[in-house]
Amino acid sequence: MSHIPLETHLPGITGLLEYRQDSAAPIRELTQILLRGESTLTEGERELIASLVSSRNQCKFCTAAHTAAADILLGESTTCELVKQDFETAPVSDKMKALLAIAAFVQENGKKVTPESINHAKNSGATDREIHDTVLIAALFCLYNKYVDGLATVTPTDSLFYEKLGDRITTVGYNRLPGGYDQLKK
């Protein structure tokens, strides 16, 4: 049971964003820009960052949601699982491994991002913007993970829920659904 009264048909972050639509608007906009906006990183790669950070923060809702989105965007379900297990041996590019290392440092403590890790990312082909966006995505998902778990939102256990949520994330993005979420009531 959540620590504050939330709509029962809106588990996880969605219920929290509906609870405070005024504070949700800029968060949603930033998330949309970072994960769906123009970037040299694919949407799938950006979802891998969100999944890795959420997994390392042990946020079950966010991990499941962004794993589902990453799987859809990547067209398969192996890579994201391997990234969460050990990104250094996962089947992603050296550039992506270096960016995931930076994301992992941010998740643990932003001060762990060192000049050496930045140079490694640059030497692996990462641009300044990709490094910037990786750090910001990782920081944003630390916020989301703590927001979801700190208010003890409902975390569904049905994998079908996350498949549908992943589909909504990949088709609508992070914008609020036009007209809200009443259509999700059962």
Side-chain angles (χ1 to χ4, degrees), residues 70-154:
D71 289 351
I72 290 168
L73 292 165
L74 296 173
E76 46 89 6
S77 60
T78 304
T79 300
C80 192
E81 286 305 315
L82 293 173
V83 162
K84 291 182 297 185
Q85 289 171 21
D86 181 5
F87 62 85
E88 293 174 348
T89 62
V92 296
S93 69
D94 288 341
K95 175 178 87 171
M96 199 62 211
K97 287 176 186 178
L99 292 172
L100 290 166
I102 290 171
F105 287 140
V106 170
Q107 177 273 326
E108 192 175 333
N109 180 335
K111 292 183 182 198
K112 291 207 170 200
V113 179
T114 62
E116 292 79 20
S117 61
I118 297 298
N119 287 333
H120 177 66
K122 287 182 177 184
N123 290 336
S124 298
T127 66
D128 288 340
R129 173 135 178 213
E130 290 169 338
I131 293 166
H132 170 276
D133 289 359
T134 296
V135 170
L136 190 51
I137 291 167
L140 181 62
F141 276 86
C142 284
L143 175 147
Y144 274 144
N145 302 155
K146 291 171 188 343
Y147 190 31
V148 165
D149 288 343
L151 287 169
T153 64
V154 173

Side-chain angles (χ1 to χ4, degrees), residues 6-41:
L6 299 171
E7 295 286 334
T8 57
H9 70 288
L10 299 176
I13 193 71
T14 309
L16 294 171
L17 295 175
E18 281 297 287
Y19 181 80
R20 281 289 310 262
Q21 291 180 35
D22 58 342
S23 62
I27 294 171
R28 284 182 181 278
E29 183 179 2
L30 178 59
T31 309
Q32 183 68 19
I33 289 167
L34 289 172
L35 274 77
R36 294 295 174 270
E38 185 180 320
S39 178
T40 51
L41 295 174

